[in-house]
């Protein structure tokens, strides 16, 4: 099955450099995704300015106004559903999602995590990788499930850690990879090549037991 111009919502909390990579690739026609709305839980997120500059609709709801996680998530979904998104891209959206939200959009939410999952879930990945003396690092695109950073993995970009490299330098190199692999994996979804079924990721009709790996 092939779909075209998949209606895509991008959720951010900050700078939005990954968002920018989607905007640039959609503009150039490299990916066939209809970026219908950029949502932020923070009104001062720079990504909102990137969206406005690109003529993409924006929405913002602050989480502090809600008594609990699920109430906030229900408000977010009520807003997002105005656009009837077929795909949600978490791009630096610094919120843990409630089970209700994950279920509401089951199989339609992608995240990118700056580590070679299942290694190094959670925060501060670059420094943890350096402190452990790892030789490889990278980033992983995965489907979102209730398990934090634990959903089926789709695509990984890997790089060799340089001797003496700082966490900031490593972060910059990982982000440059993210800007390539995230739009690519999302485009697979938009093309109908990538699906979530029975709790697994499927690409071109085949179960992805391991993610696709690109070395950079
Ligand atoms: C990225 O490094 C991504 O791996 C993580 O959050 C960061 C977002 O950066 N989930 P940006 O806002 O896209 O620049």
């Amino acid at each position: 099955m092939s779909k075209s111009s998949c209606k895509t919502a991008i959720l951010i909390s900050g700078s939005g450099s990954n968002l920018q990579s989607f905007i640039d690739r959609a503009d150039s026609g490299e990916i066939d995704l209809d970026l219908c709305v950029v949502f932020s839980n923070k009104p001062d997120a720079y990504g909102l300015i990137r969206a406005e500059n690109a003529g993409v609709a924006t929405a913002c709801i602050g989480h502090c106004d809600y008594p609990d996680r699920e109430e906030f998530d229900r408000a977010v979904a009520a807003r997002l559903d105005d656009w009837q998104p077929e795909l949600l891209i978490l791009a630096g959206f610094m919120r843990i999602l409630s089970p209700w939200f994950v279920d509401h959009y089951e199989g339609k939410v992608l995240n990118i995590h700056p580590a070679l999952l299942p290694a190094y879930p959670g925060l501060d990945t670059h420094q943890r990788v350096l402190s452990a003396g790892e030789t490889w690092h990278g980033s992983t695109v995965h489907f979102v499930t209730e398990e934090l950073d634990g959903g089926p993995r789709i695509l990984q970009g890997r790089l060799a850690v340089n001797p003496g490299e700082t966490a900031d330098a490593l972060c910059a190199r990982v982000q440059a990879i993210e800007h390539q692999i995230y739009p690519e994996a999302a485009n697979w979804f938009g093309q109908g090549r990538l699906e979530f079924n029975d709790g697994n990721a499927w690409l071109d009709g085949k179960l992805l037991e391991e993610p696709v790996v690109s070395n950079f």
Side-chain angles (χ1 to χ4, degrees), residues 11 35 43 59 88 96-97 100 114 144 155 160-161 180 184 186 199:
L11 282 68
L35 308 184
L88 270 60
I96 293 173
L97 302 173
W100 179 86
V144 169
L155 178 58
V161 177
Q180 297 188 54
E184 183 178 9

Side-chain angles (χ1 to χ4, degrees), residues 12-20 50 90-94 111-115 126 139-140 171 174-175 178-179 182:
I12 61 162
S13 298
S15 151
S17 71
N18 277 284
L19 161 65
Q20 189 67 52
R50 296 183 192 268
L90 306 185
F93 186 56
M94 300 303 285
N111 183 42
I112 192 158
H113 179 75
H126 310 299
S139 194
T140 307
C171 175
V174 167
Q175 282 219 319
E178 293 185 335
H179 300 158
Y182 205 5

